[in-house]
Amino acid sequence: MLLKKNKILIVDNEINIGLLVSTFLTKNGFEVSSTGSGATALSVLKEQAFDLVLCDYRGWKILTGERF
């Protein structure tokens, strides 16, 4: 029987932080997608379902984590 991997979307405008978190989660068995902007994240969420979204709360110029 195959186990379903939990899908996580990482949204962070700091590329190195997003890469670090993505690498860690992938190595621990999660299916990870990432994006650097809230606007792109919203587009991705319209196309795919995720079990968890990890979102940077500050640092976005157009769409903040609070408005996301």
Side-chain angles (χ1 to χ4, degrees):
M1 172 172 69
L2 294 175
L3 295 177
K4 176 187 163 237
K5 286 187 175 184
N6 288 324
K7 291 176 64 174
I8 299 174
L9 175 62
I10 298 171
V11 187
D12 197 321
N13 62 330
E14 293 187 37
I15 295 170
N16 290 333
I17 299 297
L19 182 60
L20 177 71
V21 174
S22 177
T23 301
F24 174 80
L25 291 171
T26 300
K27 285 183 177 181
N28 284 281
F30 295 94
E31 183 179 333
V32 179
S33 296
S34 61
T35 182
S37 75
T40 304
L42 290 175
S43 295
V44 171
L45 287 167
K46 288 179 183 177
E47 302 294 323
Q48 300 179 50
F50 290 88
D51 299 300
L52 177 67
V53 176
L54 293 176
C55 176
D56 183 10
Y57 184 74
R58 297 179 189 207
W60 296 356
K61 295 181 181 180
I62 298 173
L63 182 63
T64 64
E66 183 178 59
R67 290 177 52 205
F68 179 72

